[in-house]
Amino acid sequence: MKYVLLIRDDEIDAPSNEELAADLVHQAWAADLARRGAELWGERLRPVVDATTVRVRDGETLVSDGPFAETKDFVGGVVIVECANLDEAIEIAAGHPYARRGGVEIRPVWE
């Protein structure tokens, strides 16, 4: 089964890419994914100041800067994993460093 992990964080004190690369917990999580052969794809997202939201209402395209949600948390990255079941996806999500500082939302992929 495929799952998308939405990596949520508070953008105010998000680590840099260099800090993430040097983080031993993040390295251990990546090694666990490799050991499981679970990661299909993953990327870190740029900050919400670079986001654009598009809505179409009554045939009119409305474009606004920033994210749609008014919240402190933001989706800072996505990872697609293939697991035997939700329990394994939970194990993987619980090992992500951001599960301790933000949150990791698990969504099954509709196949």
Side-chain angles (χ1 to χ4, degrees):
M1 180 125 193
K2 290 182 184 143
Y3 295 91
V4 174
L5 307 181
L6 301 171
I7 313 302
R8 293 193 336 247
D9 192 22
D10 181 347
E11 190 172 53
I12 293 170
D13 69 345
S16 68
N17 286 337
E18 293 77 20
E19 290 169 324
L20 277 180
D23 179 40
L24 296 178
V25 176
H26 198 269
Q27 291 172 12
W29 182 77
D32 181 55
L33 275 183
R35 180 189 60 77
R36 295 172 187 261
E39 184 175 6
L40 299 177
W41 179 83
E43 289 295 335
R44 190 169 191 202
L45 302 177
R46 296 204 43 90
V48 295
V49 298
D50 296 328
T52 302
T53 299
V54 177
R55 297 178 197 84
V56 176
R57 300 293 185 269
D58 297 320
E60 181 182 357
T61 301
L62 308 169
V63 178
S64 59
D65 292 336
F68 176 73
E70 295 291 331
T71 178
K72 186 171 114 173
D73 283 352
F74 75 103
V75 176
V78 294
V79 179
I80 300 175
V81 296
E82 188 156 14
C83 307
N85 52 42
L86 178 59
D87 290 337
E88 185 179 8
I90 291 170
E91 285 178 27
I92 290 170
H96 194 284
Y98 280 31
R100 290 164 187 75
R101 55 177 281 131
V104 179
E105 182 178 332
I106 302 169
R107 293 264 195 99
V109 173
W110 222 337
E111 296 184 281

